[in-house]
Amino acid sequence: MAKFQVELKRVVDDSYEIEIGYGLIPVLINDIANGLAGKAHKFAVVTDTNVEPLYARPVLEALREKGYQADLFVFEAGEKSKTRETKAMIEDAMLAAGYQRDCCIIAVGGGVVTDLAGFVAGTYGRGVPFINYATTVLAAADASVGGKTAVDTPLATNLIGLFNQPEKVYLDLDTWKTLPQREICSGMAETIKHACMADEAFFSYLEEHLEEILRVEKMPCEHVAERNCQIKYHVVMQDERESGLREILNLGHTVGRAIETVSDYRLLHGEAVSIGLVAEAHLSRHLGFLSDEEVERMTALLRRAGLPVRIPDDIDREALVKKLYTDKKVRDGKLRFVVQSRIGGIQCFGNNIYATEVSEETARHILKEL
Ligand code: GLY
């Protein structure tokens, strides 16, 4: 009978600042007072049980002292909490506390917190602003920057989510001093990933300064935080929605995410990514891109960083092969992998194509070798 064209072209500016420093809570409060969260006057501080007493409560108290309405929404720490159920629990608690569209969410924590809170923010009241206050090396290196928000499902990690950019990201390096060593090592896996895919000089820097970084010494940690950010945001600025280039940030994650799920999250994200980086380096060598020496150099650095470099014996290799098919890079039922051309470089396979098809047989061979 009739046809109408609904014109809805949008020009969106989702730019935001990343601030790296020490003890940034006063800076956060000052930024809010200066309009960072727009008209929001009620703040939902989302955090986990580990971070609550250390940093989330101080954020809450600082907000209240400044006269803002604010509440804490706390869930059990750990990747196992990154679920639709936890998201619903936070949403229900916010609804019960009267939060409406004029609120802002502040994620205070590591990658699980920033991924989950950012996803809540993307759908709460059809979208409210959020701010990331990252308190782990892993969140600083990867999760808090780039706007990927998601929850895990029983099938695999990060399958349900949104691209949703924060208003600002704070990387508070003081928080690294209160992290357990295992968490620092886990964050180093994403750091080593960045070096492997983009910057050989950074890789050499990590080889030279690794022990100082693991002891959380000031200068090398500042360099790590800054270089991680630069490498990540350069990729995200070119391909926010992962239509090509952003796939390179998946290096080590095709196998890593599969291991994380099959291990039932016994391994931390970075630990699983470390094994994934080694497995995918073996694949790059198998495909003729990396040399034995380069694979050994990568494996040695990951091992020195206190990270696992072999698949634990009790992980069923066939279950892993099956799990690879839950990866978001799979096209037409075919496995696709990001491949390193060298330490500090990713192989390009054509115009904006950064992953290549790999047969199940080859993937199985690599996983069985490791
Ligand atoms: N963590 C991978 C990405 O942000 O694309």
Side-chain angles (χ1 to χ4, degrees):
M1 233 178 82
K3 277 188 186 173
F4 302 100
Q5 178 73 14
V6 181
E7 295 282 349
L8 282 174
K9 293 183 183 134
R10 290 201 297 163
V11 179
V12 179
D13 184 357
D14 270 339
S15 314
Y16 57 92
E17 193 173 62
I18 303 165
E19 180 155 352
I20 303 172
Y22 297 89
L24 295 175
I25 294 176
V27 181
L28 164 71
I29 303 301
N30 197 42
D31 286 343
I32 290 171
N34 288 325
L36 176 67
K39 290 194 172 68
H41 62 264
K42 203 164 172 179
F43 293 86
V45 180
V46 176
T47 192
D48 69 25
T49 44
N50 288 341
V51 180
E52 181 202 342
L54 294 170
Y55 306 108
R57 205 158 271 286
V59 167
L60 178 85
E61 279 158 14
L63 284 165
R64 287 183 174 166
E65 251 170 51
K66 193 83 186 171
Y68 296 108
Q69 277 185 275
D71 298 280
L72 271 182
F73 297 89
V74 187
F75 61 86
E76 190 60 37
E79 185 77 28
K80 278 195 163 185
S81 289
K82 207 176 109 177
T83 60
R84 286 174 287 204
E85 290 73 22
T86 309
K87 179 172 182 278
M89 184 272 285
I90 295 167
E91 289 160 347
D92 288 343
M94 285 176 64
L95 289 169
Y99 278 76
Q100 295 180 328
R101 295 193 69 190
D102 55 357
C103 72
C104 172
I105 290 177
I106 306 179
V108 184
V112 171
V113 174
T114 59
D115 278 14
L116 189 51
F119 189 19
V120 171
T123 59
Y124 195 82
R126 298 205 179 92
V128 297
F130 76 107
I131 295 164
N132 281 339
Y133 197 98
T135 65
T136 64
V137 181
L138 195 131
D142 183 40
S144 69
V145 176
K148 275 190 180 174
T149 71
V151 292
D152 303 331
T153 66
L155 185 69
T157 62
N158 293 333
L159 287 183
I160 311 289
L162 290 170
F163 288 100
N164 190 23
Q165 303 295 343
E167 300 304 309
K168 179 162 175 177
V169 178
Y170 298 86
L171 308 183
D172 183 344
L173 304 192
D174 268 345
T175 64
W176 294 12
K177 294 185 196 128
T178 52
L179 287 174
Q181 192 67 34
R182 193 176 166 203
E183 284 289 346
I184 294 172
C185 296
S186 177
M188 285 311 292
E190 294 287 0
T191 304
I192 294 170
K193 175 197 82 176
H194 280 150
C196 287
M197 57 168 244
D199 187 349
E200 188 177 6
F202 186 39
F203 190 93
S204 301
Y205 180 91
L206 295 175
E207 287 181 316
E208 203 175 318
H209 296 278
L210 186 69
E211 280 69 31
E212 296 147 58
I213 298 163
L214 295 179
R215 286 197 300 269
V216 195
E217 289 182 17
K218 198 166 182 244
M219 297 300 280
C221 285
E222 285 177 12
H223 183 64
V224 162
E226 285 171 19
R227 196 68 198 108
N228 272 328
C229 270
Q230 288 164 335
I231 291 171
K232 177 138 193 196
Y233 74 67
H234 273 297
V235 174
V236 172
M237 284 195 313
Q238 292 174 72
D239 179 23
E240 184 200 356
R241 301 281 164 139
E242 201 165 307
S243 56
L245 181 68
R246 191 166 178 168
E247 286 190 333
I248 71 173
L249 295 173
N250 270 248
L251 183 67
H253 282 63
T254 314
V255 173
R257 281 203 205 93
I259 292 176
E260 201 179 358
T261 324
V262 173
S263 80
D264 197 26
Y265 303 104
R266 179 162 48 86
L267 293 170
L268 296 178
H269 179 71
E271 293 170 341
V273 166
S274 171
I275 302 169
L277 283 170
V278 176
E280 295 179 27
H282 280 251
L283 175 67
S284 298
R285 178 179 55 190
H286 180 90
L287 298 176
F289 294 106
L290 281 189
S291 65
D292 290 348
E293 291 70 32
E294 285 169 315
V295 175
E296 190 35 52
R297 201 175 155 204
M298 279 178 58
T299 310
L301 182 60
L302 289 161
R303 196 183 282 119
R304 271 179 63 208
L307 289 159
V309 293
R310 307 202 74 80
I311 303 170
D313 289 340
D314 60 343
I315 290 190
D316 177 7
R317 298 328 192 242
E318 274 312 307
L320 268 188
V321 172
K322 259 203 196 136
K323 199 55 87 178
L324 293 176
Y325 285 93
T326 62
D327 186 69
K328 287 189 278 313
K329 291 186 299 307
V330 167
R331 296 275 182 283
D332 300 325
K334 303 268 173 38
L335 298 174
R336 291 169 68 249
F337 283 76
V338 174
V339 171
Q340 269 180 265
S341 56
R342 58 188 172 83
I343 291 181
I346 294 293
Q347 185 63 31
C348 181
F349 294 96
N351 186 19
N352 203 30
I353 302 172
Y354 293 92
T356 190
E357 217 173 282
V358 169
S359 72
E360 183 177 306
E361 256 337 286
T362 301
R364 177 177 288 107
H365 169 74
I366 300 294
L367 295 179
K368 287 205 163 154
E369 252 193 353
L370 211 62

